[in-house]
Amino acid sequence: MFKGILISKDEAGYRAAIEEINEAQLPEGDVTIRVSHSTLNYKDGLAITGKGPVVRRFPMVPGIDLVGEVEESSHADYKPGDKVLLNGWGVGETHWGGLAQKARLKGDWLVPLPAAFTPQQAMAIGTAGYTAMLCVMALERHGLRPQDGEVLVTGAAGGVGGVAVALLAKLGFTVIATSGRPEETNYIKGLGATDVLPRADFTSPGKPLGKERWAAAIDVVGSHTLANICATTKYRGIVAACGLAGGMDLPASVAPFILRNVTLQGIDSVMCPRAERIEAWQRLARDLDPAILTTLATEISLAEAIPSAEKLMAGQLRGRVIVDVNR
Ligand code: NDP
């Protein structure tokens, strides 16, 4: 038996609870892992609270991230004792995830834990941080250089936004952040932002084109915010869109794309090919100051994950949340 969060949906409704789970119930997979830590991402918040249709099968163990040690493996690349991490691939949505003491998965989904990180540091980064890195890599592929001008990052008091600010600042970019939480201005500046603008400056319907300001942007919000960012991005600039914290819609015009040659680059971490994941984790080991992870992350127990998911959805959690599944 092992302990985990189980999400159920039946006549009694949608609910998440800590349960004792029989190992025989673990799903199919060629690697069994003793999980040490998982995390709470926005998607885990949606899954645990039921506020979004993230869970596709019931019962489900949530947790789109995990780190731990291989217990059993029939996969050629992994043997018992290996330290591994996992982000995405539908884990915590269609396949049992990381918010439990054990997981069984496809070895092809795993990434060896980079030597640069402790298990806790890897989860302080988690899917949010790895997605922030994918966004930065997209800006670089576009040819963005620090001398091109200011880079905007939205939702900076959250997970993706916080890591994106820290990465860009360390790489020498001038980062302007947005946040709906003025009380977190010092925290966001501590991550490396030069200035923090109010979230409300971006959330109302705007004009098809505005004054050109951003050389590039990383957006976790979507909706009017993303439309307004595209409208104020400089000629030949790029916007990496990875989130929907403000809405799934995109009430924009084509003006920035056809008159300013702006690129709107979508970012998906879930099905991202293995080679790019490994590159992203190598880049995180190189370009993220590990000391910043202490500022960015807080650690909670498995039991605290359920009430914390409600707080995350209410926008009351800052940065990243690591879950010690054995506490
Ligand atoms: P967090 O909850 O940690 O951060 C989201 C931040 O967005 C909040 O902290 C807040 O920042 C801001 N925000 C929240 N609600 C609103 C709103 N209504 N309008 C405008 N801003 C808002 O989540 P994550 O960082 O984990 O994820 C951010 C987004 O990115 C989510 O939508 C998530 O689904 C998506 N995502 C996508 C991935 C992909 O593969 N494409 C992978 C990972 C995440 P502040 O208070 O500073 O304004």
Side-chain angles (χ1 to χ4, degrees):
M1 301 294 280
F2 64 93
K3 217 166 35 160
I5 295 179
L6 211 57
I7 298 176
S8 316
K9 188 184 173 189
D10 50 30
E11 324 65 70
Y14 189 104
R15 64 202 179 277
I18 306 259
E19 297 200 16
E20 288 291 328
I21 304 168
N22 193 322
E23 236 175 276
Q25 286 177 266
L26 279 170
E28 277 186 27
D30 48 10
V31 182
T32 305
I33 296 163
R34 265 193 305 271
V35 180
S36 73
H37 299 83
S38 182
T39 79
L40 273 190
N41 292 276
Y42 192 84
K43 202 181 248 180
D44 303 312
L46 290 173
I48 292 171
T49 61
K51 289 203 162 78
V54 166
V55 177
R56 308 287 171 167
R57 272 188 212 152
F58 297 92
M60 178 57 59
V61 173
I64 66 171
D65 287 324
L66 66 83
V67 66
E69 213 171 274
V70 173
E71 187 177 81
E72 268 180 56
S73 166
S74 56
H75 189 286
D77 294 350
Y78 299 103
K79 57 178 190 322
D82 286 350
K83 290 193 163 61
V84 291
L85 68 86
L86 172 127
N87 313 112
W89 293 116
V91 169
E93 302 179 56
T94 55
H95 188 101
W96 281 15
L99 284 164
Q101 292 169 320
K102 290 236 170 141
R104 185 172 293 142
L105 320 141
K106 282 193 187 170
D108 288 349
W109 293 342
L110 298 170
V111 170
L113 177 67
F117 298 125
T118 64
Q120 287 92 331
Q121 285 172 328
M123 291 294 97
I125 296 167
T127 288
Y130 140 70
T131 303
M133 190 74 243
L134 292 177
C135 292
V136 172
M137 284 159 58
L139 305 192
E140 290 174 341
R141 267 199 309 275
H142 187 74
L144 186 76
R145 301 154 310 161
Q147 60 268 37
D148 293 332
E150 294 169 330
V151 181
L152 184 72
V153 175
T154 58
V160 176
V163 179
V165 169
L167 281 169
L168 288 166
K170 174 115 191 289
L171 290 166
F173 292 93
T174 304
V175 186
I176 310 296
T178 77
S179 179
R181 292 182 255 178
E183 68 277 16
E184 300 298 357
T185 298
N186 284 341
Y187 158 77
I188 297 166
K189 286 190 173 171
L191 297 177
T194 301
D195 199 5
V196 184
L197 305 177
R199 179 202 288 179
D201 286 2
F202 294 81
T203 48
S204 301
K207 293 184 189 148
L209 285 176
K211 190 167 179 293
E212 293 177 53
R213 176 152 187 199
W214 319 114
I218 295 177
D219 177 54
V220 307
V221 176
S223 192
H224 290 297
T225 299
L226 180 55
N228 289 328
I229 293 170
C230 291
T232 49
T233 294
K234 284 186 186 177
Y235 191 77
R236 289 201 166 245
I238 176 167
V239 180
C242 72
L244 44 59
M248 185 92 162
D249 59 332
L250 179 53
S253 91
V254 295
F257 312 117
I258 62 174
L259 299 176
R260 292 194 181 152
N261 211 128
V262 167
T263 298
L264 179 56
Q265 172 70 59
I267 300 292
D268 168 58
S269 66
V270 180
M271 303 308 285
C272 176
R274 187 177 153 78
E276 201 171 323
R277 284 170 191 259
I278 290 176
E279 187 190 342
W281 276 98
Q282 283 168 347
R283 287 289 311 273
L284 284 158
R286 196 186 85 188
D287 296 328
L288 188 66
D289 177 3
I292 212 96
L293 294 173
T294 320
T295 316
L296 258 167
T298 45
E299 190 171 305
I300 61 171
S301 67
L302 190 61
E304 288 168 311
I306 296 175
S308 295
E310 295 282 355
K311 287 190 196 153
L312 187 142
M313 287 290 95
Q316 292 164 359
L317 294 186
R318 181 175 95 178
R320 296 278 305 138
V321 180
I322 308 168
V323 183
D324 179 347
V325 300
N326 297 299
R327 180 158 73 82

